[in-house]
Amino acid sequence: MESEIAIRVENISKSFMIPHELTNTFLERLIRFEWKRKYEMFDALKDISFEIKKGEFFGVIGRNGSGKSTLLKIIAGIYTPSKGTINVNGEISPFLELGVGFNPELSGRDNIFLNGTILGLSKNEIKSEFDSIVAFSELERFIDQKLKNYSSGMQVRLAFSVSIHANKDIFIMDEVLAVGDARFQLKCFDFFEEMIKTGKTIVFVSHDTASMQKYADRVLYLESGNSSYIGNANEALSKYMYTEVLQNTNLEYILGTETISSDMSTNNNDTNEQTFEGIKATIKQDNIPKIIEIYEVKIFETINPDDNVLTNGHEMQIKLIIKVIGIIDNIIVRVIVRNDLHQDLFVTNTSKKQVLIGEMSRGTYELVLKMANYFEPGKYSVSIAICDQTQRVFYDIKDYLAYFEVKNPKRLVSIEDIEVPHQFDFLKYNP
């Protein structure tokens, strides 16, 4: 029904005119007055269509320059589309360029009123929320200082605090959950989860694949201004990450020249196998096969492999099953253990422990992390990521993939800031 739609985007395109010559002064403009300036058209967005339901968390991903911020600015009413229509059912609070409109010569107090007015709040509304805004920003001691004396982090914290108190129906968020220090970021995530619980509509742009995988109901993957995929978050992230891999790595080196079974392709072939050229054709059709996949994770005590309820003080194991398609070399496996507050307590990877995983051909592999269980009683989650040597290109991410519980009320030891003894064992696995 129409009343259930928060945002409808229909065949939106946006183009910009880019001049070949820049004229920065009046004299340059006067000298070149009779010249016919040359421009080229840059298509930032091309025929984008989608609908966002009220209360939906809608993610947008893509590489830099793919059109993500341009799309958000069109939704927020900052840009007008070159063609197409957009309908927004509700008031918008844009978290785009935080702090736009701040005056460095005014105090933090005055800038709260200035920025709040820009966001559509009345003077009385700002007064009623003022103490809460200042408390959230944690800038009570500095609120009457001029903004030019604030650090960049303090300015962003103040801007974020004002924006969240606008309390609109729709939140447009562009890479805003990494503001301030670690403690302030945790407060931002708490607020973020509260918005989801209260049924706010959220449009969220981020390169943080873990947050996108955790929160998004659907994800739009933009590629060079085109809508490459809209749908399930895991599928969108998979296409995004593997397109990134294939554009930054020699494809023949990854897949090798060996044949790949036809179950990795949606193409209908008469034979049971597909050649390297067939794989490249499949990729051009956006049916990108996974090169490597996290298949399964098991967590248990060494002395009791059949139970994921662990005892503090005993050795524990995190066993990871990895499936490889084709050939890949020098991966890094990252393991994160979080508590029930979503705080990272323990982070390690194979590179840190100097475990070299060389060339892997097609098959199934097992990686076992053995570690001392220093965790205090409670519930924990395990997230796994596989990346290249730069740790910037991710082949697969499984967030909150497995859970375990620790019991032993007689021993309460905090894990934070403690180096936990651990080691990795890696071997070919034949189930």
Side-chain angles (χ1 to χ4, degrees), residues 21 23 27 44 68 71 81 88 113 119 139 160 169 186 192 196 217 222 294 319 327 329 335 348 351 363 394 400 431:
E21 305 92 9
T23 52
L27 181 59
K68 305 185 300 298
L71 176 61
V88 178
F113 282 89
L119 292 174
L139 295 172
F160 186 90
D169 305 309
L186 186 59
F192 190 57
I196 295 172
D217 297 310
L222 288 176
I294 302 163
K319 180 182 290 186
I327 299 173
D329 196 12
V335 179
T348 189
S351 178
F394 286 84
Y400 301 93

Side-chain angles (χ1 to χ4, degrees), residues 159-340:
F160 186 90
S161 299
V162 176
S163 297
I164 66 174
H165 286 84
N167 196 27
K168 304 297 184 180
D169 305 309
I170 302 169
F171 288 85
I172 309 295
M173 312 181 78
D174 190 358
E175 291 285 5
V176 297
L177 291 183
V179 298
D181 54 26
R183 189 162 63 92
F184 190 78
Q185 287 181 30
L186 186 59
K187 288 177 64 174
C188 295
F189 274 102
D190 288 341
F191 167 76
F192 190 57
E193 294 188 352
E194 186 62 29
M195 285 195 299
I196 295 172
K197 290 178 183 177
T198 55
K200 301 291 186 181
T201 304
I202 301 169
V203 184
F204 181 54
V205 163
S206 180
H207 292 286
D208 182 359
T209 54
S211 296
M212 197 69 72
Q213 188 178 45
K214 180 180 179 182
Y215 295 117
D217 297 310
R218 289 186 301 142
V219 171
L220 164 64
Y221 168 34
L222 288 176
E223 178 65 32
S224 301
N226 293 293
S227 174
S228 181
Y229 177 83
I230 302 177
N232 177 270
N234 286 335
E235 184 69 20
L237 290 169
S238 177
K239 289 180 178 293
Y240 167 54
M241 289 185 291
Y242 284 101
T243 301
E244 190 79 10
V245 170
L246 294 167
Q247 291 194 358
N248 288 280
T249 313
N250 186 310
L251 179 62
E252 188 163 0
Y253 175 68
I254 292 176
L255 294 179
T257 55
E258 65 178 27
T259 56
I260 309 296
S261 81
S262 59
D263 61 5
M264 293 304 300
S265 169
T266 57
N267 292 347
N268 293 321
N269 296 322
D270 294 332
T271 62
N272 291 326
E273 294 190 326
Q274 188 181 9
T275 65
F276 172 69
E277 291 300 323
I279 287 292
K280 289 198 291 186
T282 299
I283 290 167
K284 290 178 181 178
Q285 297 170 11
D286 290 330
N287 300 317
I288 302 171
K290 282 202 169 186
I291 300 164
I292 185 168
E293 183 175 11
I294 302 163
Y295 182 70
E296 184 180 8
V297 170
K298 297 179 181 178
I299 305 165
F300 53 87
E301 286 183 348
T302 302
I303 61 174
N304 185 13
D306 297 323
D307 193 355
N308 68 345
V309 178
L310 315 181
T311 303
N312 187 300
H314 293 179
E315 183 184 74
M316 60 178 288
Q317 296 188 28
I318 300 176
K319 180 182 290 186
L320 172 65
I321 307 300
I322 303 169
K323 288 193 173 182
V324 179
I325 307 299
I327 299 173
I328 194 167
D329 196 12
N330 291 330
I331 64 166
I332 292 176
V333 179
R334 190 179 189 212
V335 179
I336 304 173
V337 178
R338 297 187 177 102
N339 62 13
D340 56 1

Side-chain angles (χ1 to χ4, degrees), residues 120-135:
L121 296 174
S122 68
K123 189 174 182 179
N124 287 334
E125 287 175 326
I126 298 171
K127 284 182 177 179
S128 67
E129 296 288 348
F130 182 84
D131 290 341
S132 178
I133 291 171
V134 176

